[in-house]
Amino acid sequence: MRNLRRLLLGRRLASQETEQARISNPIALAVFSSDALSSVAYATQEIMASLAAAIPVGGAALAGAAGHAIFGWSIPVALGIAALLAILAVSYRQTILAYPGGGGAYVVAQENLGDIAGLTAGASLLIDYVLTVAVSASSGAAALTAALPALAGHNVSLTLLAIGFIALLNLRGLKESGGFFAIPTYGFLCSIFLVLGWGTLKVALGGGPAPAQVEAAAHQGVHLAGLSMAWVFMRAFSAGCTALTGVEAISNGTTAFRDPVGPNAAKTMMWMVALLGTMFLGITFLAHHYGVTYHHSPDPAVVAETLLSKLNKAILGDVSRGLPQAAYYVVQGFTFAILVVAANTAFVGFPRLAALQAQDGFLPRQFASQGDRLVFSNGIFILFFFSGLLVWLFHANTDILLPLYAAGVFIGFTLSQTGMVVHWRKVRGPHWRAKAAINGLGALTAFVVLVDIALTKFIHGAWIVILLVPALVVIHFNIRRHYVGVKSRLAASRTDAFLPTKHHALVLVNGIHKGVVQSLLYARLIAGDRVEALTVELGSEGERESPAIAKLRSDWTTYGMGVPLRVLPSPYRKVVEPILAEVDRIRDAEPELALTVILPEFITSKWWQQFLHNQSALRIKAALLVKPGVIVTSVPMHLPQ
């Protein structure tokens, strides 16, 4: 087991090696930006799907026409989202420089707005990280099955394997896995920009599909005249805001950057935003020009071909042979790869955020413990479990998962930027009013989008996130209340220590072996003559003892060392209950007694052999540990190989 652990996770890292585990800007761009950059694979797709859903039944037959008037709205929607991206980029750049030690929404909101705001932001981000893993990996599986139809129907298995792979890489540590993540990220960037460049060149030279018939577009426009244009635009805008998920990742993970932390993280942030905005606008423009649209699959168990796959085919031409086929598979391959590693952003952010909350007492303290590779292993395991559960429940279908997305992100955006406004008002300094205005604009726009998402996506799944966030906040406060209560009770217990005047030892036995003899010797050592041995007789018939008990009594005269042996009857074949009843009887008879229960246990030579035994000692110990005034001791006997 130890060798397998070293093979999978690598050598252990000492605490002083933390500084060596920091990463350079190019690696950081791959590690922290893969989520945001990969969102272009489904952001335009969601805009088109939202617009397609607004087409009335009378226009459904022409829904695929390149010139359908409503699909032209994708351009202004994308421009609006790009403008919002620019505002958030400038706002978060200020956050990074103001909080170089980690300026995530939780830290900023808690420090400037209080615990409730901080925990609300933290809860929304924890939910968003789980959704990020599920959505990104599911989108990657969809990209793969679009290129390889033979794998269709296996999306859930492919997604779970991808999540497990990313979790394993993160358990190995950030620096070691960062180089691996750079390959898909930069491969995706190169392939997408090459395809977009080729598509733009064809458009400039007059290539691409012929314009749609004006009559068709006009006919569709008649059907749309009765729709609420504002509502359709709001729905498309909220759907496209999935492009902005992951923008805050760099501000959450600044401590992973090399010194100077703030400037390096800020530079990486601006590069990420520039690349994201260019790809998003390019894909949306070319999809509109080439008449590429997307409709959600009517069957939740069936995943439709992605818009990016359709766009690649439209730009590259006949992808059934030759160079276009090779280029198509390269683009789809890197799309699959970056969508899978995009889950890494969440695997970096979730454990760090959980560790911060655990240090503040709002999550179990286990989340603050670093493993062998200087990573927060418990957070990685929890994220793997819940994201995998979502994938299984929703069939790895992004059409169902994406409506849950983005609501939590914009809760964090709003609270973080509002917290920064308060921060500048407190610290002041040069140009503080201008800085506060920038963050105020970020908070206002984020809040407007949050309201848009809540209104347009509420019945499609956003209600789950909106209700789950306050529920998590309540849980956080209950955990904190528990820790504060335990601390106060432990402090008060120093003046109320129990001083027993007598000591009694019970040795639990079910046969004679070396471990029992050692337990009797130990009991004599700590309790002198006040030692008893107890055994449980399961389901005896009438007045006659079972052969096993008779054999034990016979052997006891030789090996019992003069310790009295008592047999506890158990007519209902229970082991734990008779022992608990006897312990209660002894404690009630002598409350001032210190009672030690000793359990002889044998330890098998192979770890897997332990599962072949019924683990009755574990059940007995678990039951006795909740008994006040009872000390439980195990005496192990290691079996030879």
Short mmCIF file of all heavy atoms in Angstrom, two decimals, residues 191-245:
data_model
loop_
_atom_site.label_atom_id
_atom_site.label_comp_id
_atom_site.label_asym_id
_atom_site.label_seq_id
_atom_site.Cartn_x
_atom_site.Cartn_y
_atom_site.Cartn_z
N SER A 191 -5.13 25.90 -31.27
CA SER A 191 -6.05 25.30 -32.24
C SER A 191 -7.27 26.18 -32.48
O SER A 191 -7.71 26.35 -33.63
CB SER A 191 -6.47 23.91 -31.77
OG SER A 191 -7.15 23.97 -30.53
N ILE A 192 -7.83 26.76 -31.42
CA ILE A 192 -9.01 27.62 -31.58
C ILE A 192 -8.66 28.88 -32.37
O ILE A 192 -9.40 29.29 -33.29
CB ILE A 192 -9.60 27.99 -30.21
CG1 ILE A 192 -10.29 26.79 -29.59
CG2 ILE A 192 -10.60 29.14 -30.35
CD1 ILE A 192 -11.50 26.29 -30.34
N PHE A 193 -7.53 29.49 -32.06
CA PHE A 193 -7.16 30.71 -32.78
C PHE A 193 -6.84 30.42 -34.25
O PHE A 193 -7.12 31.24 -35.13
CB PHE A 193 -5.99 31.41 -32.09
CG PHE A 193 -6.40 32.31 -30.97
CD1 PHE A 193 -6.11 32.00 -29.65
CD2 PHE A 193 -7.12 33.47 -31.22
CE1 PHE A 193 -6.51 32.83 -28.61
CE2 PHE A 193 -7.52 34.30 -30.19
CZ PHE A 193 -7.21 33.97 -28.88
N LEU A 194 -6.28 29.24 -34.53
CA LEU A 194 -6.03 28.88 -35.92
C LEU A 194 -7.34 28.70 -36.68
O LEU A 194 -7.49 29.18 -37.82
CB LEU A 194 -5.19 27.60 -35.99
CG LEU A 194 -3.70 27.75 -35.65
CD1 LEU A 194 -3.02 26.39 -35.60
CD2 LEU A 194 -3.01 28.66 -36.67
N VAL A 195 -8.31 28.00 -36.07
CA VAL A 195 -9.59 27.80 -36.73
C VAL A 195 -10.33 29.13 -36.89
O VAL A 195 -10.90 29.42 -37.96
CB VAL A 195 -10.45 26.78 -35.94
CG1 VAL A 195 -11.87 26.74 -36.49
CG2 VAL A 195 -9.83 25.40 -36.01
N LEU A 196 -10.34 29.95 -35.83
CA LEU A 196 -11.00 31.25 -35.92
C LEU A 196 -10.32 32.13 -36.98
O LEU A 196 -11.00 32.86 -37.72
CB LEU A 196 -10.99 31.95 -34.56
CG LEU A 196 -11.82 31.31 -33.45
CD1 LEU A 196 -11.72 32.14 -32.17
CD2 LEU A 196 -13.28 31.18 -33.87
N GLY A 197 -9.00 32.07 -37.03
CA GLY A 197 -8.28 32.85 -38.04
C GLY A 197 -8.63 32.40 -39.44
O GLY A 197 -8.85 33.24 -40.34
N TRP A 198 -8.71 31.08 -39.65
CA TRP A 198 -9.06 30.55 -40.96
C TRP A 198 -10.50 30.93 -41.31
O TRP A 198 -10.79 31.32 -42.45
CB TRP A 198 -8.87 29.05 -40.98
CG TRP A 198 -9.25 28.38 -42.28
CD1 TRP A 198 -10.22 27.45 -42.47
CD2 TRP A 198 -8.64 28.59 -43.56
NE1 TRP A 198 -10.28 27.07 -43.79
CE2 TRP A 198 -9.32 27.76 -44.49
CE3 TRP A 198 -7.62 29.42 -44.02
CZ2 TRP A 198 -8.97 27.72 -45.83
CZ3 TRP A 198 -7.28 29.39 -45.37
CH2 TRP A 198 -7.95 28.54 -46.26
N GLY A 199 -11.39 30.81 -40.35
CA GLY A 199 -12.78 31.18 -40.60
C GLY A 199 -12.93 32.65 -40.91
O GLY A 199 -13.69 33.04 -41.82
N THR A 200 -12.21 33.51 -40.19
CA THR A 200 -12.27 34.96 -40.44
C THR A 200 -11.70 35.30 -41.80
O THR A 200 -12.22 36.17 -42.52
CB THR A 200 -11.51 35.71 -39.34
OG1 THR A 200 -12.05 35.36 -38.06
CG2 THR A 200 -11.61 37.22 -39.53
N LEU A 201 -10.61 34.61 -42.18
CA LEU A 201 -10.01 34.84 -43.50
C LEU A 201 -10.99 34.47 -44.61
O LEU A 201 -11.12 35.19 -45.61
CB LEU A 201 -8.72 34.02 -43.63
CG LEU A 201 -7.96 34.17 -44.95
CD1 LEU A 201 -7.50 35.62 -45.14
CD2 LEU A 201 -6.75 33.23 -44.98
N LYS A 202 -11.69 33.36 -44.46
CA LYS A 202 -12.68 32.95 -45.46
C LYS A 202 -13.81 33.97 -45.57
O LYS A 202 -14.29 34.28 -46.67
CB LYS A 202 -13.25 31.57 -45.10
CG LYS A 202 -12.25 30.44 -45.27
CD LYS A 202 -12.81 29.11 -44.80
CE LYS A 202 -13.97 28.63 -45.64
NZ LYS A 202 -14.44 27.29 -45.25
N VAL A 203 -14.21 34.52 -44.41
CA VAL A 203 -15.25 35.55 -44.43
C VAL A 203 -14.75 36.80 -45.15
O VAL A 203 -15.45 37.40 -45.97
CB VAL A 203 -15.69 35.89 -43.00
CG1 VAL A 203 -16.62 37.10 -43.00
CG2 VAL A 203 -16.39 34.70 -42.36
N ALA A 204 -13.50 37.19 -44.86
CA ALA A 204 -12.94 38.39 -45.48
C ALA A 204 -12.79 38.24 -46.99
O ALA A 204 -12.93 39.20 -47.74
CB ALA A 204 -11.58 38.71 -44.85
N LEU A 205 -12.53 37.00 -47.43
CA LEU A 205 -12.36 36.73 -48.87
C LEU A 205 -13.68 36.40 -49.55
O LEU A 205 -13.69 36.00 -50.72
CB LEU A 205 -11.36 35.59 -49.06
CG LEU A 205 -9.93 35.86 -48.58
CD1 LEU A 205 -9.05 34.63 -48.76
CD2 LEU A 205 -9.33 37.06 -49.32
N GLY A 206 -14.77 36.50 -48.80
CA GLY A 206 -16.07 36.24 -49.40
C GLY A 206 -16.49 34.79 -49.34
O GLY A 206 -17.46 34.39 -50.02
N GLY A 207 -15.80 34.00 -48.56
CA GLY A 207 -16.16 32.58 -48.45
C GLY A 207 -17.26 32.38 -47.44
O GLY A 207 -17.91 33.31 -46.98
N GLY A 208 -17.49 31.13 -47.07
CA GLY A 208 -18.53 30.79 -46.11
C GLY A 208 -19.86 30.57 -46.80
O GLY A 208 -19.97 30.66 -48.03
N PRO A 209 -20.89 30.30 -46.05
CA PRO A 209 -22.20 29.99 -46.63
C PRO A 209 -22.86 31.21 -47.24
O PRO A 209 -22.55 32.35 -46.89
CB PRO A 209 -23.00 29.49 -45.42
CG PRO A 209 -22.37 30.18 -44.26
CD PRO A 209 -20.91 30.26 -44.59
N ALA A 210 -23.75 30.97 -48.17
CA ALA A 210 -24.48 32.07 -48.81
C ALA A 210 -25.44 32.69 -47.81
O ALA A 210 -25.97 32.00 -46.94
CB ALA A 210 -25.24 31.56 -50.02
N PRO A 211 -25.67 33.98 -47.88
CA PRO A 211 -26.62 34.62 -46.95
C PRO A 211 -27.99 34.00 -47.06
O PRO A 211 -28.41 33.56 -48.12
CB PRO A 211 -26.62 36.09 -47.40
CG PRO A 211 -25.33 36.27 -48.14
CD PRO A 211 -25.04 34.95 -48.79
N ALA A 212 -28.69 33.97 -45.97
CA ALA A 212 -30.04 33.38 -45.96
C ALA A 212 -31.00 34.29 -46.73
O ALA A 212 -30.75 35.47 -46.93
CB ALA A 212 -30.52 33.21 -44.53
N GLN A 213 -32.10 33.70 -47.15
CA GLN A 213 -33.08 34.45 -47.90
C GLN A 213 -33.69 35.55 -47.01
O GLN A 213 -34.04 35.31 -45.87
CB GLN A 213 -34.18 33.52 -48.39
CG GLN A 213 -33.69 32.45 -49.36
CD GLN A 213 -33.21 33.07 -50.67
OE1 GLN A 213 -33.72 34.10 -51.10
NE2 GLN A 213 -32.21 32.46 -51.28
N VAL A 214 -33.80 36.74 -47.56
CA VAL A 214 -34.39 37.84 -46.82
C VAL A 214 -35.83 37.53 -46.45
O VAL A 214 -36.31 37.86 -45.37
CB VAL A 214 -34.30 39.14 -47.65
CG1 VAL A 214 -35.02 40.28 -46.92
CG2 VAL A 214 -32.87 39.50 -47.93
N GLU A 215 -36.53 36.84 -47.37
CA GLU A 215 -37.92 36.52 -47.09
C GLU A 215 -38.04 35.63 -45.86
O GLU A 215 -38.97 35.78 -45.06
CB GLU A 215 -38.56 35.81 -48.30
CG GLU A 215 -38.70 36.70 -49.53
CD GLU A 215 -37.39 36.78 -50.32
OE1 GLU A 215 -36.44 36.04 -49.96
OE2 GLU A 215 -37.31 37.55 -51.27
N ALA A 216 -37.11 34.67 -45.71
CA ALA A 216 -37.17 33.76 -44.56
C ALA A 216 -37.00 34.53 -43.27
O ALA A 216 -37.74 34.34 -42.31
CB ALA A 216 -36.10 32.67 -44.68
N ALA A 217 -36.01 35.42 -43.25
CA ALA A 217 -35.77 36.19 -42.03
C ALA A 217 -36.96 37.08 -41.71
O ALA A 217 -37.37 37.20 -40.55
CB ALA A 217 -34.50 37.04 -42.19
N ALA A 218 -37.54 37.70 -42.75
CA ALA A 218 -38.69 38.57 -42.50
C ALA A 218 -39.87 37.77 -41.99
O ALA A 218 -40.60 38.21 -41.10
CB ALA A 218 -39.06 39.30 -43.80
N HIS A 219 -40.05 36.57 -42.56
CA HIS A 219 -41.15 35.72 -42.12
C HIS A 219 -41.00 35.36 -40.64
O HIS A 219 -41.96 35.40 -39.88
CB HIS A 219 -41.19 34.45 -42.98
CG HIS A 219 -42.23 33.46 -42.54
ND1 HIS A 219 -43.57 33.68 -42.72
CD2 HIS A 219 -42.11 32.26 -41.91
CE1 HIS A 219 -44.26 32.66 -42.26
NE2 HIS A 219 -43.40 31.77 -41.75
N GLN A 220 -39.77 35.02 -40.24
CA GLN A 220 -39.54 34.67 -38.85
C GLN A 220 -39.78 35.89 -37.95
O GLN A 220 -40.30 35.77 -36.86
CB GLN A 220 -38.11 34.17 -38.63
CG GLN A 220 -37.61 33.17 -39.66
CD GLN A 220 -38.18 31.79 -39.46
OE1 GLN A 220 -38.48 31.43 -38.33
NE2 GLN A 220 -38.34 31.03 -40.51
N GLY A 221 -39.38 37.06 -38.43
CA GLY A 221 -39.53 38.25 -37.63
C GLY A 221 -40.98 38.55 -37.29
O GLY A 221 -41.29 39.08 -36.24
N VAL A 222 -41.89 38.16 -38.18
CA VAL A 222 -43.31 38.37 -37.90
C VAL A 222 -43.74 37.57 -36.68
O VAL A 222 -44.48 38.03 -35.83
CB VAL A 222 -44.15 37.98 -39.14
CG1 VAL A 222 -45.63 37.99 -38.81
CG2 VAL A 222 -43.85 38.90 -40.30
N HIS A 223 -43.25 36.33 -36.62
CA HIS A 223 -43.61 35.49 -35.49
C HIS A 223 -43.03 36.02 -34.18
O HIS A 223 -43.58 35.79 -33.11
CB HIS A 223 -43.10 34.06 -35.72
CG HIS A 223 -43.88 33.33 -36.77
ND1 HIS A 223 -45.16 32.87 -36.58
CD2 HIS A 223 -43.55 32.98 -38.04
CE1 HIS A 223 -45.60 32.27 -37.66
NE2 HIS A 223 -44.63 32.32 -38.57
N LEU A 224 -41.89 36.70 -34.27
CA LEU A 224 -41.24 37.19 -33.06
C LEU A 224 -41.82 38.51 -32.58
O LEU A 224 -41.49 38.95 -31.49
CB LEU A 224 -39.74 37.37 -33.32
CG LEU A 224 -38.95 36.08 -33.52
CD1 LEU A 224 -37.53 36.42 -33.93
CD2 LEU A 224 -38.96 35.23 -32.27
N ALA A 225 -42.64 39.12 -33.42
CA ALA A 225 -43.14 40.45 -33.06
C ALA A 225 -43.95 40.43 -31.78
O ALA A 225 -43.97 41.39 -31.03
CB ALA A 225 -43.98 41.01 -34.20
N GLY A 226 -44.61 39.28 -31.51
CA GLY A 226 -45.44 39.20 -30.32
C GLY A 226 -44.69 38.83 -29.07
O GLY A 226 -45.27 38.78 -27.98
N LEU A 227 -43.40 38.52 -29.17
CA LEU A 227 -42.62 38.12 -28.00
C LEU A 227 -42.07 39.34 -27.28
O LEU A 227 -41.88 40.41 -27.87
CB LEU A 227 -41.45 37.22 -28.42
CG LEU A 227 -41.81 35.84 -28.98
CD1 LEU A 227 -40.55 35.14 -29.41
CD2 LEU A 227 -42.54 35.02 -27.93
N SER A 228 -41.77 39.16 -26.03
CA SER A 228 -41.12 40.23 -25.27
C SER A 228 -39.63 40.21 -25.61
O SER A 228 -38.90 39.30 -25.21
CB SER A 228 -41.31 40.02 -23.77
OG SER A 228 -40.51 40.92 -23.06
N MET A 229 -39.20 41.19 -26.38
CA MET A 229 -37.80 41.22 -26.81
C MET A 229 -36.86 41.36 -25.62
O MET A 229 -35.79 40.77 -25.59
CB MET A 229 -37.59 42.38 -27.79
CG MET A 229 -38.39 42.26 -29.09
SD MET A 229 -38.16 43.66 -30.20
CE MET A 229 -36.43 43.54 -30.58
N ALA A 230 -37.27 42.15 -24.64
CA ALA A 230 -36.41 42.33 -23.46
C ALA A 230 -36.21 41.01 -22.72
O ALA A 230 -35.10 40.70 -22.29
CB ALA A 230 -37.02 43.38 -22.53
N TRP A 231 -37.31 40.23 -22.59
CA TRP A 231 -37.20 38.96 -21.88
C TRP A 231 -36.30 37.98 -22.62
O TRP A 231 -35.49 37.28 -22.01
CB TRP A 231 -38.59 38.36 -21.68
CG TRP A 231 -38.60 37.06 -20.93
CD1 TRP A 231 -38.80 35.82 -21.44
CD2 TRP A 231 -38.37 36.87 -19.54
NE1 TRP A 231 -38.72 34.87 -20.47
CE2 TRP A 231 -38.46 35.49 -19.27
CE3 TRP A 231 -38.11 37.76 -18.48
CZ2 TRP A 231 -38.30 34.96 -18.00
CZ3 TRP A 231 -37.95 37.23 -17.22
CH2 TRP A 231 -38.04 35.85 -16.98
N VAL A 232 -36.45 37.93 -23.94
CA VAL A 232 -35.60 37.04 -24.75
C VAL A 232 -34.13 37.44 -24.61
O VAL A 232 -33.24 36.59 -24.46
CB VAL A 232 -36.03 37.08 -26.23
CG1 VAL A 232 -35.06 36.29 -27.10
CG2 VAL A 232 -37.44 36.51 -26.38
N PHE A 233 -33.87 38.75 -24.66
CA PHE A 233 -32.49 39.22 -24.51
C PHE A 233 -31.94 38.87 -23.13
O PHE A 233 -30.79 38.43 -22.99
CB PHE A 233 -32.42 40.73 -24.74
CG PHE A 233 -31.03 41.29 -24.73
CD1 PHE A 233 -30.29 41.35 -25.89
CD2 PHE A 233 -30.44 41.74 -23.55
CE1 PHE A 233 -28.99 41.86 -25.89
CE2 PHE A 233 -29.16 42.25 -23.52
CZ PHE A 233 -28.43 42.31 -24.71
N MET A 234 -32.75 39.07 -22.09
CA MET A 234 -32.31 38.76 -20.72
C MET A 234 -31.99 37.27 -20.58
O MET A 234 -30.99 36.90 -19.95
CB MET A 234 -33.40 39.15 -19.72
CG MET A 234 -33.55 40.64 -19.49
SD MET A 234 -34.99 41.03 -18.47
CE MET A 234 -34.58 40.15 -16.95
N ARG A 235 -32.81 36.42 -21.15
CA ARG A 235 -32.56 34.98 -21.07
C ARG A 235 -31.26 34.61 -21.77
O ARG A 235 -30.45 33.82 -21.26
CB ARG A 235 -33.73 34.20 -21.68
CG ARG A 235 -34.94 34.11 -20.78
CD ARG A 235 -36.03 33.30 -21.42
NE ARG A 235 -35.54 32.01 -21.91
CZ ARG A 235 -36.32 31.06 -22.41
NH1 ARG A 235 -37.63 31.26 -22.48
NH2 ARG A 235 -35.82 29.93 -22.83
N ALA A 236 -31.05 35.17 -22.95
CA ALA A 236 -29.83 34.87 -23.70
C ALA A 236 -28.60 35.41 -22.98
O ALA A 236 -27.55 34.75 -22.94
CB ALA A 236 -29.93 35.47 -25.11
N PHE A 237 -28.74 36.59 -22.40
CA PHE A 237 -27.60 37.19 -21.68
C PHE A 237 -27.23 36.35 -20.47
O PHE A 237 -26.05 36.07 -20.23
CB PHE A 237 -27.96 38.61 -21.25
CG PHE A 237 -26.79 39.41 -20.76
CD1 PHE A 237 -26.04 40.17 -21.64
CD2 PHE A 237 -26.42 39.40 -19.42
CE1 PHE A 237 -24.94 40.91 -21.19
CE2 PHE A 237 -25.34 40.12 -18.95
CZ PHE A 237 -24.60 40.89 -19.85
N SER A 238 -28.22 35.94 -19.67
CA SER A 238 -27.93 35.13 -18.49
C SER A 238 -27.34 33.78 -18.88
O SER A 238 -26.47 33.25 -18.18
CB SER A 238 -29.20 34.94 -17.66
OG SER A 238 -30.18 34.19 -18.37
N ALA A 239 -27.80 33.22 -20.01
CA ALA A 239 -27.23 31.95 -20.47
C ALA A 239 -25.79 32.12 -20.89
O ALA A 239 -24.93 31.27 -20.58
CB ALA A 239 -28.07 31.41 -21.63
N GLY A 240 -25.48 33.21 -21.57
CA GLY A 240 -24.11 33.44 -22.03
C GLY A 240 -23.14 33.82 -20.93
O GLY A 240 -21.91 33.74 -21.12
N CYS A 241 -23.65 34.21 -19.77
CA CYS A 241 -22.77 34.58 -18.66
C CYS A 241 -22.00 33.39 -18.10
O CYS A 241 -21.14 33.57 -17.22
CB CYS A 241 -23.58 35.25 -17.55
SG CYS A 241 -23.96 36.99 -17.91
N THR A 242 -22.29 32.19 -18.58
CA THR A 242 -21.43 31.05 -18.22
C THR A 242 -20.00 31.28 -18.71
O THR A 242 -19.08 30.62 -18.23
CB THR A 242 -21.99 29.75 -18.82
OG1 THR A 242 -22.19 29.92 -20.23
CG2 THR A 242 -23.31 29.38 -18.18
N ALA A 243 -19.83 32.20 -19.67
CA ALA A 243 -18.48 32.53 -20.14
C ALA A 243 -17.64 33.19 -19.06
O ALA A 243 -16.40 33.22 -19.16
CB ALA A 243 -18.56 33.44 -21.36
N LEU A 244 -18.29 33.73 -18.03
CA LEU A 244 -17.57 34.48 -17.00
C LEU A 244 -17.21 33.64 -15.78
O LEU A 244 -16.58 34.13 -14.85
CB LEU A 244 -18.41 35.69 -16.56
CG LEU A 244 -18.84 36.64 -17.68
CD1 LEU A 244 -19.64 37.79 -17.13
CD2 LEU A 244 -17.63 37.15 -18.45
N THR A 245 -17.65 32.39 -15.77
CA THR A 245 -17.31 31.53 -14.64
C THR A 245 -15.81 31.25 -14.65
O THR A 245 -15.23 30.97 -15.69
CB THR A 245 -18.08 30.20 -14.73
OG1 THR A 245 -17.81 29.58 -15.98
CG2 THR A 245 -19.57 30.44 -14.60
#
